[in-house]
Amino acid sequence: MMNRKIIVITVILIVIISAVISMEITQIGHSNTHVHTSSSNISSSVTEPRSNISTTESFSTERDAIFIGDGAPAYALLKMKDKIYALGGGVAVIFSEDLSPLCYAKLKYNIWKAEKYDEDRFVSMQQWYSLPGSIAMFDSELNLIWSVDGNFTDFRVANNKIYAIESRSGFLESRNGSYYLDIFDGNGNLIRSFKALDVKEIAGRTVIQYLLSIEVKDGKIYVPYVSGEAEGPYKLTLLRFDEQGNLELKKVIYEAKENMDRTYIYSYKDGLLLAIEGPICRYIYTDREGNIVGKAGWKPPLEAGFRNCWGQAKVLNDRVYVFGHDECLFAGFVGLVDESSLYVNEYNESMYYTRVQEIVLQKGGTWQDNSVVYDILSDGDELYVIGIVQMSLPSGAFIVRVDPDLKVNINNLLEQADVVYLEDIPPCKS
């Protein structure tokens, strides 16, 4: 009799435990319920004060990749105080180094780009559908310190200052406007402002061509832009100023019949690296005088005569990484330039070889479409990559952690990645 009672009690306990586990799985699974967040009031520069960023033990599993569900940040990566910050779309999610989500916050600021100012602060710029916006500084706990309204198209942090390029024409409202270079101190005070060039000097065939980029190297300010007639040929022109606003260099460094869209510029070793968007899709190395010393590229596939790429670059540990979006495949890509290997392209140009991974993956047996890689971050022996995939269910941002040589197949990591929603992550305490 006693054995029968024990058996009955054991069965009841098993049933109760199974029911509890089933409830927990139901709460964790979100196959039909999504949280949709948006960057409301993005014109406002105010974010709710926060302090004492919390951590949680709920996501302590070490990961190599993770998806954050609908409305998640996908545009910028930072590392501050041993934490990884994913930013964009009016949302910020803070991770530990092993990609365990710690907390999230909603910001009244649509961050498109961010750079660390010091160990406690970072500078950001908002952009909305390729339109320029304001710049702002936040602390490591996501409190807004200051913001400056304007049509800023790019900025750089250097020499304890913020260098920004701004359209003073109301942006695309008039071809008679001008671009100015503004220099701010760490408190957001304007130190100096001077005109860089007139809007009418830009080829101006597409909106993206008006989004000028900026780089600062050894006290010199560099700005590239595309000039020429709307039908071509197109000329990539480089400007160099000193900090007093004196123009030291204006030089055409590259010319092509194919259209050149936005050009990004970065410091590289003793010179510069320029990444050109559009059909031309080039990565050009120059010295400080604008003389070409090398070119890098990769081959987006041809499809019905159409070829295009949205391609940025970053110089991390003296190595050049390229990333962006291949419009032929509707797929994001990330690659590493190999300067020990050359090939000759169809235009008879000698180019450095670039090994590229396309983000084309299946999730749950379903092919996912239209991915973009927006930013990368180097952290010692690891490289973090952030982007977005228009997944069938869910659609969301991804972060993947790989080796700096990109030897790991990113698609395999993403196919196995967990999907976590903002509602599953605790808010950063206020």
Side-chain angles (χ1 to χ4, degrees), residues 66-231:
I66 189 171
F67 277 101
I68 308 294
D70 292 349
Y75 298 146
L77 282 173
L78 286 174
K79 184 177 181 184
M80 300 180 69
K81 296 185 174 181
D82 297 323
K83 296 182 178 70
I84 306 298
Y85 290 67
L87 306 161
V91 178
V93 177
I94 301 177
F95 297 85
S96 62
E97 292 173 303
D98 62 3
L99 294 184
S100 296
L102 301 178
C103 67
Y104 86 96
K106 294 182 181 179
L107 308 176
K108 295 179 180 179
Y109 198 88
N110 186 48
I111 292 177
W112 177 259
K113 175 184 175 178
E115 286 190 12
K116 188 164 73 172
Y117 183 81
D118 56 27
E119 290 304 314
D120 296 304
R121 296 173 290 175
F122 67 90
V123 182
S124 66
M125 182 182 73
Q126 73 173 356
Q127 214 172 78
W128 190 249
Y129 291 112
S130 296
L131 295 178
S134 60
I135 57 174
M137 177 177 281
F138 291 82
D139 66 19
S140 59
E141 294 185 339
L142 301 175
N143 297 303
L144 178 67
I145 300 174
W146 55 259
S147 65
V148 178
D149 292 330
N151 293 315
F152 297 100
T153 66
D154 195 19
F155 75 90
R156 281 288 188 276
V157 174
N159 311 319
N160 295 320
K161 290 175 278 191
I162 298 105
Y163 300 78
I165 186 160
E166 179 187 15
S167 170
R168 296 278 181 88
S169 63
F171 195 68
L172 296 184
E173 293 178 4
S174 171
R175 290 283 291 170
N176 296 319
S178 301
Y179 285 87
Y180 280 73
L181 291 174
D182 300 331
I183 305 175
F184 300 91
D185 65 18
N187 295 316
N189 300 311
L190 183 65
I191 299 172
R192 188 171 297 108
S193 181
F194 53 87
K195 190 171 83 168
L197 76 158
D198 294 322
V199 174
K200 62 185 178 182
E201 295 183 58
I202 301 172
R205 187 174 180 181
T206 63
V207 172
I208 203 74
Q209 285 173 308
Y210 292 95
L211 298 175
L212 301 187
S213 297
I214 185 174
E215 181 58 289
V216 180
K217 187 177 181 70
D218 297 332
K220 305 297 183 181
I221 306 168
Y222 297 85
V223 177
Y225 69 97
V226 177
S227 61
E229 300 298 326
E231 297 78 19

Side-chain angles (χ1 to χ4, degrees), residues 1-17:
M1 181 68 68
M2 184 63 67
N3 291 337
R4 290 183 61 187
K5 287 182 178 180
I6 293 173
I7 293 173
V8 171
I9 292 172
T10 302
V11 170
I12 291 173
L13 288 173
I14 292 172
V15 171
I16 292 172
I17 293 170

Side-chain angles (χ1 to χ4, degrees), residues 266-323:
Y266 310 89
S267 295
Y268 180 63
K269 296 183 179 178
D270 292 329
L272 303 164
L273 170 69
L274 296 98
I276 307 172
E277 290 183 354
I280 201 68
C281 197
R282 297 285 188 276
Y283 302 89
I284 296 176
Y285 301 85
T286 73
D287 61 21
R288 301 188 195 193
E289 300 299 319
N291 301 306
I292 293 179
V293 296
K295 300 174 189 175
W298 63 288
K299 291 188 175 183
L302 293 173
E303 184 175 299
F306 178 72
R307 175 181 180 178
N308 210 348
C309 83
W310 176 83
Q312 296 192 57
K314 264 194 175 181
V315 179
L316 303 174
N317 300 323
D318 284 335
R319 308 174 80 187
V320 177
Y321 293 88
V322 300
F323 57 94

Side-chain angles (χ1 to χ4, degrees), residues 372-390:
V372 182
V373 175
Y374 283 110
D375 198 9
I376 59 175
L377 170 70
S378 177
D379 182 28
D381 295 331
E382 295 178 315
L383 183 75
Y384 293 87
V385 180
I386 192 171
I388 194 166
V389 173
Q390 298 296 328

Side-chain angles (χ1 to χ4, degrees), residues 393-413:
L393 283 176
S395 171
F398 67 83
I399 301 178
V400 61
R401 182 178 58 167
V402 295
D403 66 286
D405 294 323
L406 295 174
K407 293 179 179 178
V408 176
N409 189 312
I410 292 176
N411 289 321
N412 290 345
L413 295 178

